[in-house]
Amino acid sequence: MNSKTLLPALFAAIAAVATPPLQADAAVPKNVILFIGDGMSVPQRMTADEFSRKAGGSSLAMNALPFSAVTRTCSADSLVTDSAAAATAIACGKKTKNHSVGVDAKGKRLVSCAEAARDAGKKVGIASTVTITHATPAGFYAHRPNRSSTYEIAIDLADSGFDFFAGGGLDRKYKNDDSPLWDDHGHAYHYAESKGYTLVRKRADFLALKPGCGKILTRFRDDALPPSIDARPDSNEPTIAEITAKAIELLDCPQGFFLMVEGGRIDWAGHANDAATNLRDVLALDEAVKVALAWQDAHPETLVIVTGDHETGGMSMGFAGTGYALYMDRLANQTMSVDRFDGKFSGLYEKCRKEKRRLEFDDVRDLITEAFGFKFQGDRALDPMVLSNDEKEEILAAFRNDVRFMDGDNEDSDKYDEAKKKILASTCRTIMSHKCGIGWSSGAHTAMPVLTTAKGPGAERFSGFMENTDISKTIKSFWTEK
């Protein structure tokens, strides 16, 4: 067998892995709550777990679930999946090509476990911390060969008839004919309203919703919710835990429900190799898992599943500079995401330009300390956050690079998975990772398997070694097999 046939054969063998048949006397859940940490594999779960325990808390609730399975993530055309293909596998039980959502490798429409739940008479909810038309949520209701077709995906959302969509807004992109996704009156949102959805724009109004309110689509903003590290108590956006609690309240019914909750910002922080932001979004997702488990205690007919769609960043717990030691507690010194820091840095530059003076390093020194907890003076033997001379030089060189870049009125990449030309923010987060003992091998996805854990009726089926497609097959089997 040559190299041109070996890879397709390997994928075919992988896809042929069968889900164990449902035993006749096995418990069947009435409700299923599926959590997906986008970009969350074992290192992300364990880094957050270690941070939580170092901070005086407990291990993650998602890590304490009684059943667990190592889960393979490859797509139909690559050992390294993207979120669209991974979501399709988890939602629909079939491998597809990277960038496709809700269709197989030949473009044929698939049925997701969410649609199967709807067709079985159950209520259905989809929630995410990123845009609700992003790849992972789209895999549960959309059917498009390319995840970038966000206008069509928004139409699929409204046509799905699902009962609840909450989190980030509809992607602010364009139709295939380059006309806006919405005009000044919000075309895509109006289409959803025409399909019976009530738009909810304010956190207070969302939290006040009561059962019987009808189909819900939130519009707290027209893009992703802020990362957990940047969220503020007076924010208009609810937390993912609050969204989960409200979803359960509204979806609960005699027929049962299916709810998918995505921690999408975990992936974005992984692309940025931003460890502190990454772990705080894992912790935020774990708070949502705790909400589901507390509800499950009173409703034991509920199955709770936690998984990831793939790993992002090649995160490792261990770095040569710290030997065999890890210092997760040092990540508590970082108070904002690298993206927010970079925005503040750019704001300082623009302020100085308006004042017709040059931005100096002294202008940003306090911001660096505020954002990362780095100290430019002190005894390193007594305080690990005191910078070494080499670290200071790295930061100063990055600052000078960025000033030259901005002086030329250049525009940096706005894509989360592309290398940036401005490097001060990335230099600071790299120093932070190294101080903690965290390593990164990539700014993209990896082929590392993820961990799936579960509790409730049917949870024993999520054990051992499984394909991501088995998640959907198992969920569907609860409602189709007798």
Side-chain angles (χ1 to χ4, degrees):
M1 184 177 292
N2 60 40
S3 60
K4 291 184 178 180
T5 59
L6 177 60
L7 197 58
L10 172 62
F11 292 139
I14 290 170
V17 177
T19 304
L22 187 66
Q23 299 299 316
D25 57 349
V28 175
K30 173 184 173 183
N31 313 305
V32 175
I33 305 175
L34 171 63
F35 292 94
I36 300 176
D38 198 315
M40 183 181 76
S41 182
V42 175
Q44 288 77 13
R45 292 173 73 145
M46 295 312 301
T47 297
D49 194 283
E50 180 69 12
F51 179 86
S52 176
R53 292 190 293 108
K54 286 285 187 181
S58 59
S59 294
L60 300 192
M62 67 175 74
N63 289 348
L65 302 185
F67 293 94
S68 62
V70 175
T71 308
R72 188 158 35 193
T73 64
C74 66
S75 68
D77 59 349
S78 176
L79 286 172
V80 181
T81 188
D82 81 327
S83 291
T88 300
I90 295 169
C92 303
K94 186 87 171 178
K95 299 283 186 180
T96 193
K97 296 179 180 178
N98 284 351
H99 309 301
S100 294
V101 287
V103 297
D104 67 15
K106 295 183 178 180
K108 182 181 178 182
R109 183 187 181 106
L110 299 171
V111 176
S112 75
C113 56
E115 292 169 321
R118 175 201 61 197
D119 296 344
K122 297 180 181 293
K123 288 191 174 183
V124 178
I126 304 293
S128 177
T129 56
V130 297
T131 49
I132 204 68
T133 47
H134 212 260
T136 300
F140 288 81
Y141 63 80
H143 306 277
R144 302 292 167 180
N146 196 309
R147 60 185 286 179
S148 296
S149 301
T150 51
Y151 174 80
E152 292 81 1
I153 289 172
I155 299 305
D156 286 347
L157 180 153
D159 286 340
S160 71
F162 292 177
D163 303 273
F164 179 93
F165 288 98
L170 303 179
D171 251 326
R172 194 161 195 147
K173 294 185 180 178
Y174 295 88
K175 296 167 60 175
N176 287 339
D177 61 2
D178 293 329
S179 56
L181 178 62
W182 53 72
D183 54 26
D184 291 340
H185 302 290
H187 174 273
Y189 285 108
H190 278 303
Y191 182 75
E193 287 181 303
S194 75
K195 290 291 186 174
Y197 287 90
T198 298
L199 296 187
V200 182
R201 293 175 171 84
K202 296 181 179 180
R203 175 175 176 268
D205 293 339
F206 175 76
L207 296 179
L209 291 172
K210 299 298 181 185
C213 60
K215 294 188 292 186
I216 296 298
L217 170 62
T218 64
R219 191 181 182 180
F220 304 120
R221 51 168 62 197
D222 290 332
D223 53 8
L225 302 184
S228 181
I229 196 172
D230 293 337
R232 295 295 178 263
D234 60 350
S235 171
N236 182 57
E237 299 90 9
T239 66
I240 193 64
E242 290 174 330
I243 290 173
T244 300
K246 184 56 62 175
I248 292 171
E249 178 187 356
L250 300 183
L251 295 173
D252 183 28
C253 65
Q255 297 80 19
F257 64 85
F258 171 82
L259 171 64
M260 190 287 291
V261 180
E262 183 205 18
R265 278 284 191 174
I266 300 168
D267 174 68
W268 295 12
H271 282 290
N273 291 176
D274 185 352
T277 300
N278 186 284
L279 75 86
R280 283 178 173 84
D281 274 296
V282 175
L283 291 173
L285 182 65
D286 198 60
E287 290 301 311
V289 173
K290 290 177 183 177
V291 168
L293 292 174
W295 194 82
Q296 184 192 57
D297 284 343
H299 302 81
E301 68 277 17
T302 301
L303 171 64
V304 176
I305 309 164
V306 185
T307 192
D309 58 347
H310 53 73
E311 196 277 338
T312 303
M315 177 189 268
S316 62
M317 299 177 70
F319 176 71
T322 57
Y324 293 108
L326 288 171
Y327 304 99
M328 297 297 102
D329 52 312
R330 295 177 184 176
L331 289 169
N333 291 284
Q334 185 172 328
T335 62
M336 63 185 74
S337 66
V338 293
D339 286 342
R340 187 161 185 257
F341 167 79
D342 190 53
K344 283 178 169 283
F345 171 46
S346 298
L348 285 174
Y349 176 86
E350 291 302 325
K351 179 177 181 289
C352 289
R353 182 144 75 171
K354 288 178 182 178
E355 294 172 353
K356 299 185 186 297
R357 69 180 183 89
R358 187 167 183 78
L359 179 71
E360 302 293 342
F361 187 69
D362 285 347
D363 296 315
V364 302
R365 190 192 305 267
D366 288 347
L367 175 60
I368 293 171
T369 298
E370 175 194 355
F372 297 98
F374 297 153
K375 298 175 183 177
F376 290 85
Q377 302 292 332
D379 187 343
R380 295 183 65 232
L382 300 175
D383 188 345
M385 299 312 293
V386 175
L387 296 168
S388 68
N389 289 333
D390 287 345
E391 290 167 340
K392 292 176 188 176
E393 286 300 318
E394 284 184 60
I395 290 174
L396 182 58
F399 165 78
R400 290 170 176 164
N401 171 87
D402 288 9
V403 170
R404 287 193 299 270
F405 182 80
M406 291 186 287
D407 281 346
D409 289 324
N410 298 301
E411 291 189 8
D412 209 346
S413 171
D414 61 354
K415 295 183 179 180
Y416 61 76
D417 57 351
E418 286 188 0
K420 305 294 189 289
K421 301 296 177 60
K422 290 172 62 182
I423 60 173
L424 178 59
S426 62
T427 298
C428 289
R429 57 89 173 150
T430 299
I431 291 172
M432 175 61 82
S433 288
H434 291 176
K435 283 184 177 294
C436 301
I438 293 176
W440 300 91
S441 67
S442 174
H445 299 177
T446 71
M448 185 184 298
V450 300
L451 184 64
T452 300
T453 52
K455 179 183 179 181
E460 69 282 354
R461 302 189 78 197
F462 299 89
S463 301
F465 192 89
M466 65 189 300
E467 282 295 322
N468 55 4
T469 50
D470 292 335
I471 296 173
S472 175
K473 292 175 183 176
T474 301
I475 294 172
K476 287 179 181 176
S477 72
F478 294 139
W479 304 322
T480 59
E481 295 181 21
K482 304 299 183 182

